[in-house]
Amino acid sequence: MRSATETADLVRRGELSAVQSVRAAFQQIEKSNAKLNAFIQLDQPAAEAAARDIDARVARGEPVGPLAGVPIGVKDIESCKGFRVTQGSWFLRDSPVCSEDSRHVERLRAADAIPVGMTAMSEFGMDSATHSALWGVTRNPWNPATTPGGSSGGSAAAVASGMVPLATGTDAGGSIREPAAFTGLVGLKPSHGRIPKQDGFSNFTTCGVLARTVADCARHLDVAAGPHDGDRQSLPALSYKYEEALQTLDIGGLRVLWSDDLGYAVVDPEVLAIARAAAERLISAARLAQCSIDFRPVNPYTHWGTVMLANLEAEWTRSGILPDGFDRLSKPVQHLLELVRANRHKMDVPASWKQLHRLEQQMAGLFTKCDLLMTPATACRPYAADGLIPAVVDGRDASESGAEPFGALVNVCWNPAISIPAGLTADGLPVGLQIVGRRHREDILLRLARIAEQAMPWSFPFTV
Amino acid sequence: MDSATNSVLWGVTRNPWNPDLTPGGSSGGSSSAVAAGMVPLATGTDAGGSIRERAAFTGLVGLKPSHGRIPKQDGFANFAVLGALTRTVADCARHLDVAVGPDDSDRQSLPAFNQRYESLIETLEVRGLRVRWSGDMGYAVVDPEVEAIDRGAADRLIAAAGLVERSVPFTPINPYRHWAVILLSNLEADFTRQGILPDGSGRLSRPVQHLIGLMRANRQDIDIDASWKQLHRLEQQVAELFGQVDLLMTPATTCTPYTADALIPEEIAGRDASAHGAQPFGMLANVCWNPAISIPAGLTAAGLPVGLQIMARRHRDDVLLRLARLAERAKPWTYPSFDAIAA
């Protein structure tokens, strides 16, 4: 499969037709989607019509955008013209067909990307894997018995299997980075506010994309970033292009802290060793300076969960899901609801907010002493495709940290973070390295990812 | 928690233009100090108009910067920003140049601004920017004298700056009640947790006691989720406006400075103003994170200052300061000798 940048550059020069590009995507989808369940809605005629329009503009010598003719997947949480948004939920199965794009998709389409379909996600984004009562089990192309992660699991499976070079994701606690790690992709959670959302009242969620190459990730961000009047959290415009910073930014001498577990996570030793070795290679290749700081932040897992979920039962009762719809909820969501019910009496929302405020100050303290934080991207390797978040990792209790204990930190603090391929386990499953940067410095993360890609190129050595 | 400044601990703060009247609140002490010439610059905070109303009531320049422009102690505020009250636009700009910039401990803080506001107030090109004037936003009762003075000041500034007035449709929701519900609905619970209530009620200042009474009386009508929804709507309404114009001008307040130890007026020009109080144009910018400034617009027949509010697209604090500077040059404002206050 061609990368997004290769495809767009060929289409812009008239050397590849957008229609061919779209057809190639559908060939791969035809070949492997039945097995992987990455896409849950598709529209080939609409995609080909959009492609023909791009080809006609190229033929007339008119300008086309930086994602010209690039087929993309859109996560089932973002509005996309012609498709329904179900958020993986039976309760939204009859939602109306979208007549408008989300602000994010609108920018991608304006850059002449072509949405070919909607990708599967865990129900309401509430899981680290992707299997829902409505759409079934989504599988990892590296090993279909395992999960591609969640909540953006369909997007990860679609890109890793070569159906499309880019698919959108959202990340409120790791939902772009964990799927990227589980499928050997590049997954950037940008700084909060970098890509505009539908409103500016979100505490944790950002939009982003899953990509195979760092250049594709950078080009996506160049297209998607920038302020929007309708999102009060959106950041001012940038004066540079990520795609250039990727090649030229000087980062030698930046100080980096490696942490195995942030003092609270239970991590699979093989995953840890692979991520740590990749970090060391990258530190050396990029000439970073390693520092040793005793960094033991608050474990945000429970507090972040409390803030998000304490009122779940009341909200779902108001929206009519409960009490009668319990059986229609996906298995992981039923499990979560039961956990909330069992622990509701212990959940103290103001106290949890206080802990998240503390975490913000702890992270600020860290970034006065160093520029980067590296950790494993996940606590474990890809687990069973239809399984629950492991409560035990490496024989130890992981119920207070789960599969992605390093995720929520940056969602709380609005920092950018990226997961890049770190290597493979003995049984051939991908592991991710997470790099966290200071706020607003996605350029540094992308530059580092590019240096890693050059120093230890990754590939997708399988056929699905 | 008040549009005047009148507390049990520190007593009544008065307006140097007329000591019977309030300098506004909550930053009322700051505005009095600057207006009376004690200090040229005093800090303020603004979660619903607290810098701008003070500036208006005392004839000062009061900028509420874009949310995140000046770092706070943490990054979890929905509405509150820091700023300053000054007599001159140059002072306001220099304060901002000193105070702005990102801080790791405030997740909402904006990236560094690579220009100097103090130079931009003399050089920024603003000619041709489109402005929408609104006398009442469709929901407020405004003292006719205040509105007339503001409309006159807006006309002068539009002419002096070469702005273009546009009458695009704009009927935003009235955020007053929803904003208050969100800020205050947990007030009683918070005060109880902190040990202020139930025993300390008598130690609270009268306006705060009044507010708690209001919240208790209206508890059954309070729906926080519904109020949040209305503020989300407001964000999109303001976005739509700024898709069509660059600036919004309104009066800074609905009334002239009122009695120094009184409560927020519930009646203005003989009409019911209980749905919005003294500063209904303030919180729009706090909810939507836009910058807004109040500049002196002129004096009432009784010699009291009136403020003109200008609101800009997000992050365009520079445009507001440039316009304020043009207004200052076109019709300089002055301060009477306040020596009489000392007597």
Side-chain angles (χ1 to χ4, degrees):
Chain A
M1 181 188 62
R2 284 191 188 89
S3 75
T5 48
E6 284 164 359
T7 295
D9 294 347
L10 289 171
V11 168
R12 286 157 69 114
R13 291 199 300 268
E15 293 168 19
L16 171 72
S17 85
V19 170
Q20 279 175 290
S21 159
V22 163
R23 285 188 183 152
F26 275 96
Q27 267 166 24
Q28 185 61 38
I29 291 166
E30 180 75 18
K31 199 171 139 212
S32 48
N33 197 50
K35 191 169 193 180
L36 299 180
N37 195 27
F39 279 101
I40 50 170
Q41 297 174 73
L42 288 157
D43 190 341
Q44 187 161 2
E48 289 197 8
R52 279 194 299 276
D53 173 63
I54 292 166
D55 288 335
R57 281 153 54 208
V58 172
R60 290 196 298 267
E62 291 170 16
V64 290
L67 293 175
V70 176
I72 62 166
V74 174
K75 183 175 175 177
D76 181 28
I77 196 170
E78 287 198 85
S79 297
C80 183
K81 272 184 227 165
F83 297 104
R84 292 176 205 281
V85 171
T86 73
Q87 296 189 50
S89 179
W90 182 86
F91 297 93
L92 299 177
R93 69 198 181 284
D94 293 326
S95 61
V97 171
C98 299
S99 55
E100 291 193 25
D101 288 333
S102 75
R103 287 166 182 161
H104 178 207
V105 171
E106 188 175 71
R107 288 183 176 184
L108 302 185
R109 203 191 291 273
D112 290 317
I114 301 172
V116 300
M118 303 295 275
T119 61
M121 65 180 281
S122 42
E123 185 170 10
F124 302 125
M126 292 181 176
D127 192 19
S128 298
T130 299
H131 49 99
S132 69
L134 182 61
W135 298 108
V137 181
T138 298
R139 297 177 183 278
N140 190 331
W142 291 81
N143 177 347
T146 69
T147 179
S151 64
S152 313
S155 284
V159 176
S161 64
M163 297 176 186
V164 288
L166 289 175
T168 70
T170 54
D171 190 321
S175 281
I176 288 174
R177 291 159 286 150
E178 185 241 16
F182 277 6
T183 56
L185 296 176
V186 178
L188 173 69
K189 183 208 92 73
S191 299
H192 199 87
R194 186 63 79 201
I195 300 176
K197 301 175 305 304
Q198 297 312 105
D199 68 55
F201 290 86
S202 155
N203 258 301
F204 306 124
T205 305
T206 62
C207 300
V209 82
L210 288 117
R212 282 183 164 200
T213 74
V214 180
D216 282 4
C217 184
R219 185 169 297 187
H220 164 267
L221 196 57
D222 280 326
V223 165
H228 192 293
D229 283 320
D231 175 356
R232 63 184 195 160
Q233 295 170 336
S234 67
L235 292 168
L238 282 169
S239 55
Y240 54 85
K241 296 298 245 184
Y242 290 109
E243 205 173 333
E244 284 159 29
L246 172 71
Q247 306 291 353
T248 57
L249 191 69
D250 182 7
I251 52 160
L254 288 186
R255 302 156 301 171
V256 57
L257 174 68
W258 165 265
S259 177
D260 284 349
D261 56 10
L262 296 179
Y264 60 72
V266 179
V267 184
D268 176 325
E270 190 183 6
V271 167
L272 176 57
I274 291 166
R276 180 160 198 159
E280 276 162 13
R281 284 202 302 279
L282 177 55
I283 287 167
S284 149
R287 290 174 293 109
L288 305 177
Q290 207 160 342
C291 44
S292 64
I293 301 163
D294 186 28
F295 181 55
R296 292 168 188 278
V298 169
N299 176 2
Y301 196 71
T302 307
H303 303 299
W304 171 86
T306 294
V307 166
M308 302 247 273
L309 302 177
N311 296 319
L312 194 62
E313 181 130 28
E315 282 162 22
W316 281 1
T317 303
R318 198 174 17 222
S319 63
I321 293 177
L322 295 176
D324 298 337
F326 186 85
D327 294 340
R328 295 291 189 179
L329 289 168
S330 308
K331 199 165 46 129
V333 175
Q334 290 180 351
H335 179 69
L336 198 62
L337 188 61
E338 277 161 358
L339 268 179
V340 170
R341 281 175 175 163
N343 292 289
R344 185 66 192 88
H345 64 285
K346 286 192 271 180
M347 292 174 135
D348 179 344
V349 175
S352 281
W353 273 120
K354 244 183 214 159
Q355 291 304 310
L356 298 186
H357 290 211
R358 257 186 77 202
L359 179 63
E360 182 187 39
Q361 301 311 314
Q362 290 170 332
M363 283 283 274
L366 174 70
F367 282 115
T368 60
K369 299 183 200 121
C370 72
D371 308 291
L372 296 159
L373 169 66
M374 291 187 185
T375 69
T378 63
C380 58
R381 67 192 74 208
Y383 54 94
D386 59 355
L388 296 175
I389 298 173
V392 173
V393 170
D394 183 37
R396 292 174 284 159
D397 176 19
S399 58
E400 293 289 322
S401 50
E404 38 188 318
F406 309 111
L409 198 76
V410 298
N411 300 89
V412 171
C413 300
W414 292 12
N415 295 71
I418 197 167
S419 177
I420 58 172
L424 302 181
T425 60
D427 52 353
L429 289 172
V431 168
L433 165 67
Q434 172 171 263
I435 317 170
V436 179
R438 290 183 71 180
R439 220 171 278 128
H440 311 146
R441 296 312 302 267
E442 290 91 322
D443 56 340
I444 293 174
L445 299 186
L446 287 165
R447 175 66 180 140
L448 279 170
R450 180 64 188 137
I451 291 171
E453 190 178 41
Q454 285 169 328
M456 35 181 177
W458 45 82
S459 58
F460 298 85
F462 52 78
T463 49
V464 186
Chain B
M1 291 190 186
D2 193 17
S3 295
T5 300
N6 157 29
S7 78
V8 168
L9 183 57
W10 299 109
V12 179
T13 304
R14 297 175 185 282
N15 191 327
W17 292 81
N18 177 344
D20 293 338
L21 305 178
T22 179
S26 63
S27 316
S30 288
S31 56
S32 285
V34 178
M38 297 175 190
V39 288
L41 202 149
T43 67
T45 55
D46 190 321
S50 282
I51 288 175
R52 289 159 286 154
E53 187 215 49
R54 262 45 75 232
F57 277 5
T58 55
L60 295 175
V61 176
L63 172 69
K64 181 208 94 74
S66 299
H67 199 89
R69 192 60 86 195
I70 301 176
K72 304 174 302 305
Q73 297 311 107
D74 69 51
F76 290 86
N78 257 301
F79 307 124
V81 302
L82 305 174
L85 290 131
T86 62
R87 283 180 165 199
T88 73
V89 177
D91 282 2
C92 183
R94 188 172 294 187
H95 166 265
L96 197 58
D97 280 325
V98 166
V100 297
D103 189 302
D104 282 320
S105 46
D106 175 358
R107 63 182 194 161
Q108 295 170 337
S109 66
L110 292 168
F113 182 70
N114 294 320
Q115 287 171 282
R116 306 290 290 176
Y117 291 106
E118 201 173 337
S119 340
L120 290 170
I121 62 172
E122 304 298 346
T123 57
L124 189 71
E125 184 56 69
V126 291
R127 191 161 291 276
L129 290 185
R130 302 154 300 170
V131 57
R132 169 72 152 85
W133 160 264
S134 178
D136 60 8
M137 301 271 211
Y139 57 71
V141 176
V142 182
D143 178 328
E145 189 182 10
V146 168
E147 188 174 339
I149 290 168
D150 277 320
R151 180 68 240 203
D155 285 339
R156 280 197 307 278
L157 179 54
I158 288 168
L163 307 178
V164 183
E165 188 169 348
R166 289 277 163 82
S167 59
V168 299
F170 181 54
T171 49
I173 61 139
N174 175 5
Y176 192 74
R177 191 173 171 282
H178 304 297
W179 171 88
V181 160
I182 285 161
L183 277 184
L184 303 177
S185 54
N186 294 321
L187 191 64
E188 195 164 358
D190 292 343
F191 278 7
T192 305
R193 197 171 18 225
Q194 293 161 23
I196 295 175
L197 293 178
D199 299 338
S201 177
R203 296 287 184 189
L204 287 169
S205 305
R206 201 160 56 96
V208 179
Q209 289 188 22
H210 179 69
L211 264 178
I212 290 176
L214 270 179
M215 296 311 288
R216 281 181 178 153
N218 291 292
R219 185 163 309 287
Q220 71 286 352
D221 299 327
I222 289 174
D223 180 343
I224 296 185
D225 294 319
S227 282
W228 274 120
K229 250 188 208 151
Q230 290 303 309
L231 297 190
H232 289 211
R233 257 185 78 198
L234 181 65
E235 182 188 40
Q236 301 314 313
Q237 291 171 332
V238 171
E240 203 174 309
L241 174 71
F242 283 118
Q244 301 167 80
V245 298
D246 307 290
L247 296 158
L248 171 66
M249 292 187 185
T250 69
T253 61
T254 53
C255 55
T256 53
Y258 50 94
T259 312
D261 56 358
L263 299 174
I264 298 171
E266 297 210 324
E267 196 174 280
I268 290 169
R271 292 155 67 200
D272 176 18
S274 60
H276 57 72
Q279 47 184 80
F281 310 122
M283 55 269 306
L284 200 76
N286 300 87
V287 171
C288 301
W289 293 12
N290 294 71
I293 197 167
S294 175
I295 56 173
L299 302 179
T300 63
L304 292 172
V306 168
L308 169 69
Q309 173 175 262
I310 318 171
M311 188 168 147
R313 291 182 72 182
R314 219 170 279 125
H315 312 146
R316 295 315 303 266
D317 312 66
D318 57 343
V319 171
L320 295 184
L321 287 166
R322 173 65 175 149
L323 287 173
R325 179 67 187 129
L326 289 169
E328 188 179 42
R329 279 209 322 228
K331 189 167 188 252
W333 43 83
T334 55
Y335 300 89
S337 163
F338 293 128
D339 295 349
I341 306 166

